[in-house]
Amino acid sequence: MEEQKKKMISEISRRVKKLYMIFTIVAICVFLRIGYVQFLCGETATNAERLRKTIIFKDTTSLQAHRGSILARDGKPLATSIFRQSVHFDFGSEGFDNRERFLEDADSLSKLLAAYFRDKSAKEYYRIMTTEHDRCFRLVRGRDTMIMRSEGRIAQWFDMLRGEAWKTVRIHDTVRTHSYTRLFRDIDFNEWQTLKTYPILNESLGRVYQTEKHDFRVYPNNELALRTIGRIGVQKPYGIEEAYREQLQGHDGYQWLQCIAPRFYSRVDGADYVEPEDGLDVVTTLDVDVQDVAAKALRRQLEDEAAIWGTSIVMECATGDILAMVNLGRNSKGEFVENRNYALGARLEPGSTFKLAAALALIEDKDFTLDRVYDSGHGKRVQVGKFNKIQDSHNIGGNIDMLTAFSQSANVWFAKAVYTSYENDPQRYVDFLRSLHLDRTVGLESFGEATPMMPDYKTKYNWNGQTLANMGYGYGIELAPIHTLTLYNAVANGGRMVAPRLVTRIMRGSRTVEEFPTRTLVDDICSRKTLATVRRCLEEVALTGTAKEYFGEKATTFRVGAKTGTAKVATGGIKFSDGYYLGSMVTYLPADKPRYTVMTAIFKRRGGGRTVYGAGLAGPVQKRIATFLYNRDTNWAGEVADSDTEHYPTDVKGGDIAKIRKVASRFSPRTTYDDRTGWGRTKVESDATVAITTLDESRNTMPDVIGMGLSDAIFILENRGLKVAFSGSGRVVGQSVAAGTGIRRGDRVTLKLK
């Protein structure tokens, strides 16, 4: 018995040891496997990284940088950015599988979108959604298969007893196309707060769409200065947007997010995080008001003259700041739009505006005086040199002096003067023109500036027997309008040639990051004596010459320096005989202390409009721009010196008696009147008393409205049944029907204003 007990204990011990060894081996294997998986197995690391990316991912979409703004000189935005988002629907999503529910919600959403955006009808929205759903979600007929008729065990036994345990069914495969469809335009944050309450967009069918946030560029002034400001997101970006792309675009940030529930994410603490760095702001020299006036004036003239394209530029003399740069050309529809930067890139023979450069050479280098005489040929063709036959556009006379030749734009005079002065040394003339910086760009290459074409006698580049004489009156050399303007601005700026400037500084908020000071291209283009002489010539053009109609003594109250130019165009397949012309005018104002230089150039073909000459083409535009600049600058208004003597109004407009009394009582020592209200005429007595006389109230008698403003006069006359016409501007100085004359309803009266 004892021995049997020992055997049992021994057997149990053996079995326990065996189990112990097995458990030990298993444990060792487990630990070895754990070590292998932890340290040696690459698959584990790959799977762990795959899982980590599913749960934790790098997010860049929510930390996008704002693109910097492009600002006018006064800080108003010319181009700025706002965040907008687009909504893309996945009509192959599982959320749309319930077609009945989909159609019901799609019908509601269509009506709401049509009412909100007003761009398409509800029927059209509904058609797009159902069509896209049918395209992206299809049931494809498959094979027949046998399945158990019933699911419960007991029911299956009874089916087997009846021999109906199996039934044949048709399997349909679901084919999904996961492509994204946009139903409506990009929307801002406030719009999205409304839209996401609509059916489907409120995730009533689940997450069946995705949103994408992006930077949206806004141009508050629409097409104003389009070619100068530029555009991004087009095939060929251009303008300031492209030239300062790096400064404007900024740098996106990123963060790490962890998915804690479907569509719910939490930022991972301790992970890399980079704040977005918004783009810098670019402050330009553009003045929105000047740009607007110039654009309207140029557009009107282009339409009136049936022109092809035109450009107007306004430059500040001292700084070179471009206050306005308008570029208008016809598009395929015949409309004038900013489609090319003609101011910088249209390199053509300038015509007579180039005579300023010729005059500078003749006066500075050859000591010409304004009484130097050449025979201009009385408007006939004149032989100049061996190869040139040149003719003036009109009969200026025979022997004329330099002042007359310049003011009347005599081609023959300047061709003869340059040819006879430089025929033995043509390169000297070329070198002088180069000293005026006319062979190089002015620093706007990144905005599309063309390089001038300057012939060269030494190398024979574009040089022939006609070149020297042609270069005397604006042919044989090619310049863009900006180059001509820069030269004239140097004359207006006391001889100092400054580079045109479009950008003054780069800013981050209110802090200046980089400044671009005014650059000097040439310190002195000529001597003080020469400068005074050519400025006298330019002012004579405005007073008595080719620009007299627009800037003569009777045309404006302020004085300017000006030069007109007309050039026949032969370039890019165009021949002189085709009848294309470039008409231009350059003006600086005011003449005594120039502050602005303005240039307009218009390209057209003979046959349309009224003229092809520079004065008639560019003059109306120049006058409107110059008048605006002069009138808006209060620094040019007369200043009233301090004095102990009291000053009173010398004249007061007639009109509403109550209003006259209110104004006169503040600025005059005494006011007399018959009635406190009504309509009246005024007269300022010698002692500064304002005497108000009440108008005759009879509706059958012509009232005396002389001295009134136009609006008051029209109101009074039309109230008596008269038809009113007027001419001029200002106050009424005459009326076609004398005061006190009998009138009848429907009679016509004409007012003259001044």
Side-chain angles (χ1 to χ4, degrees), residues 290 293-294 296-298 300-301 312-314 542 546-564 584-589 597-602 614-632 636 729:
V290 180
V293 169
K296 289 177 179 176
L298 180 62
R300 183 190 309 173
Q301 185 68 359
S312 290
I313 321 169
V314 180
T546 54
K548 176 183 177 181
E549 180 181 352
Y550 304 99
F551 295 104
E553 289 185 356
K554 296 182 179 180
T556 61
T557 58
F558 55 92
R559 303 275 67 83
V560 305
K563 185 69 186 80
T564 62
S584 57
M585 182 186 288
V586 191
T587 307
Y588 64 76
L589 70 150
T597 310
V598 185
M599 179 176 185
T600 295
I602 294 177
L617 282 178
V621 183
Q622 292 287 103
K623 184 176 181 180
R624 290 190 185 99
I625 297 173
T627 302
F628 173 80
L629 290 170
Y630 186 86
N631 289 334
R632 82 157 188 171
W636 296 345
S729 60

Side-chain angles (χ1 to χ4, degrees), residues 253-314:
Y254 66 84
Q255 62 183 343
W256 290 94
L257 297 181
Q258 180 178 356
C259 179
I260 58 177
R263 299 189 301 278
F264 290 94
Y265 307 96
S266 175
R267 183 175 158 187
V268 178
D269 291 336
D272 293 341
Y273 174 77
V274 175
E275 286 276 6
E277 183 179 346
D278 292 341
L280 302 172
D281 296 332
V282 175
V283 182
T284 72
T285 60
L286 295 177
D287 186 308
V288 176
D289 293 334
V290 180
Q291 181 79 27
D292 184 55
V293 169
K296 289 177 179 176
L298 180 62
R299 184 182 299 276
R300 183 190 309 173
Q301 185 68 359
L302 292 176
E303 292 172 349
D304 290 345
E305 291 294 337
I308 298 172
W309 60 260
T311 180
S312 290
I313 321 169
V314 180

Side-chain angles (χ1 to χ4, degrees), residues 41 399 456 480 705:
C41 181
N399 291 325
D456 189 81
V705 295

Side-chain angles (χ1 to χ4, degrees), residues 491-492 494 530-539 588 591-594:
V491 172
T530 299
L531 186 67
T533 304
V534 295
R535 284 181 62 163
R536 181 185 172 191
C537 291
L538 291 167
E539 291 167 26
Y588 64 76
D592 54 344
K593 293 181 179 179

